[in-house]
Amino acid sequence: MFKHLFKMIWNKKKQNSLLIVEILLSFLVIFAVFSFALNSYNNYAKPMGFNYDHVWAISYNHTLETKNPDSVTLVYQTLLRDIQSLPLVVDAGYASSNIPFGSNHMSTGITTNGLYVDRVNNFFMDENYVNVMGVKMLSGRWYDKGDLASKTNIIVINKSLKDKLFGNTDAVGKFIGDKPENRKKVIGVIDDIKTDGDYQAPTYGLYNKQDTAAYIWMGRILVKVAPEANAAFEGQLYKLMAGRLKKSNIEIEHLDNKLTAYNKFTLVPLIILSIVAAFLIINVALGIFGVLWYNINKRRGEIGLRRAVGAPGSSVSAQLVYEAMILATLSLIIGAFFAVQFPLLNVFDLPASVYLFAMLFAVVFIYLLVLICSLYPGKQAAAIYPAVALHEE
């Protein structure tokens, strides 16, 4: 039976080639959509790693007229103490511009024991960061005030970087960096935090201690406030900042609002891919309907003859459905060849399981689409009366 079906499909290869191409393109786009969606879901299922609720980010620019380092340090340290002394402030600390859910990123590459790791996020913050953000220490410790005055090269890393560089062994007390001038001693390992929103995986992270010379360029203050902090308190905080840093551009943002905006921006590619996939699916469905309907009208004599010699209507319907499924199989074989290259070549650095499951879901989706679109034309073919079809011939 299948040999006969393949022969019929081959005899109409020009007519079927366009449908095969449409199904192939639909499979590739749907594969991309499922890959993006599965990766986003996997990232969404991972914990954030820190508590961003009731955390405000104050942005400012350095406008102090004094150039004396001691005076600059005194101004910024006094400003932070005054913010911490406000009644609704739980804690506060300075941070570099690449705060969570922001558009700024600072990345670097490090080499340790001959292993090079690229795209490592470089963070700078003070000793208050863990308390403000609720970050979990997995081993070792965070910086204290004594470290900020020390000239010892020390560093805190996150779990992903620790696993990459040191595997399952403890990283505390070990060194990163192969060059003597760049070697830093690991004093602590913190849990991974998703600084790029719910749908992005945690990245490698270096958490550097802030020294007194960093006040000029830090540019951010993270403030943990009490749940009852409102717009009136935000205005009070703004006045405090504006009074101390005159001529500075002050902006106060809530991290939960920044997360919502960042998530929407992250999902834009998925929405665009979904729209493109929807148009292709509609085209494929219409193409299948059109081809099968055309086949029915062109083969009414053949169908009538088969019915006249005793073929049941279900057999006639099944033939058309099988033909559509074979066309889909030919497209999927070609599409699977291209799709399997993604996990083999580690394209976009996504887990291989994401691509494999996306390929499986895309194959099932295409088969279901073709099956649904071919059932009604097959039913129409089964309803052709032999006498009417033969009379028309």
Side-chain angles (χ1 to χ4, degrees), residues 60-80:
Y60 63 92
N61 56 310
H62 179 71
T63 58
L64 297 180
E65 295 181 358
T66 178
K67 304 299 181 180
N68 184 279
D70 294 334
S71 299
V72 171
T73 300
L74 179 61
V75 169
Y76 283 111
Q77 288 181 346
T78 303
L79 173 62
L80 183 63

Side-chain angles (χ1 to χ4, degrees), residues 16 74-75 88 109 112 131 136 156 163 169 260 262 289 324 329 331 340 354 374:
N16 294 325
L74 179 61
V75 169
L88 297 180
T112 301
N131 293 331
K136 181 180 179 182
V156 175
D163 292 341
T169 61
T260 301
Y262 202 96
F289 270 118
T329 301
S331 300
V340 78
V354 170
S374 61

Side-chain angles (χ1 to χ4, degrees), residues 129-264:
Y129 183 78
V130 169
N131 293 331
V132 174
M133 302 300 294
V135 178
K136 181 180 179 182
M137 294 294 307
L138 299 181
S139 62
R141 63 177 179 84
W142 188 255
Y143 301 111
D144 56 30
K145 292 185 177 180
D147 294 324
L148 301 181
S150 173
K151 295 183 179 180
T152 305
N153 286 331
I154 55 178
I155 195 70
V156 175
I157 62 177
N158 67 350
K159 182 178 182 298
S160 293
L161 185 57
K162 173 258 179 187
D163 292 341
K164 181 70 174 180
L165 295 177
F166 305 107
N168 295 326
T169 61
D170 188 12
V172 176
K174 297 182 179 179
F175 290 85
I176 64 172
D178 282 346
K179 296 181 179 180
E181 64 272 16
N182 295 330
R183 283 171 59 85
K184 295 183 179 181
K185 184 178 180 181
V186 178
I187 64 169
V189 178
I190 67 172
D191 199 5
D192 291 337
I193 63 177
K194 296 194 293 187
T195 57
D196 291 327
D198 285 318
Y199 304 107
Q200 298 288 335
T203 56
Y204 304 128
L206 289 173
Y207 296 85
N208 301 270
K209 66 174 182 177
Q210 169 208 339
D211 56 25
T212 55
Y215 284 115
I216 296 178
W217 58 267
M218 291 292 277
R220 300 290 188 276
I221 300 177
L222 295 174
V223 182
K224 180 75 172 181
V225 298
E228 57 269 22
N230 51 21
F233 176 74
E234 184 174 340
Q236 180 183 355
L237 184 59
Y238 180 88
K239 289 181 180 179
L240 174 61
M241 291 291 301
R244 298 298 177 84
L245 302 177
K246 294 180 172 59
K247 300 180 182 179
S248 177
N249 297 321
I250 310 296
E251 183 180 6
I252 300 178
E253 300 175 289
H254 299 192
L255 287 191
D256 53 352
N257 294 335
K258 290 178 67 66
L259 174 61
T260 301
Y262 202 96
N263 285 341
K264 291 179 180 179

Side-chain angles (χ1 to χ4, degrees), residues 322-344:
Y322 287 150
E323 288 182 13
M325 299 299 282
I326 290 174
L327 289 174
T329 301
L330 295 175
S331 300
L332 292 175
I333 291 174
I334 301 172
F337 171 78
F338 290 105
V340 78
Q341 305 304 315
F342 283 77
L344 292 178

Side-chain angles (χ1 to χ4, degrees), residues 37 51 53 86 111 123 140 186 221 225 267 281 291 305 310 323 332 347 357 361-362:
N51 184 11
D53 291 330
L86 293 175
T111 302
F123 300 97
V186 178
I221 300 177
V225 298
L267 291 177
I281 290 169
V291 169
L305 182 59
E323 288 182 13
L332 292 175
V347 180
F357 277 108
F361 292 156

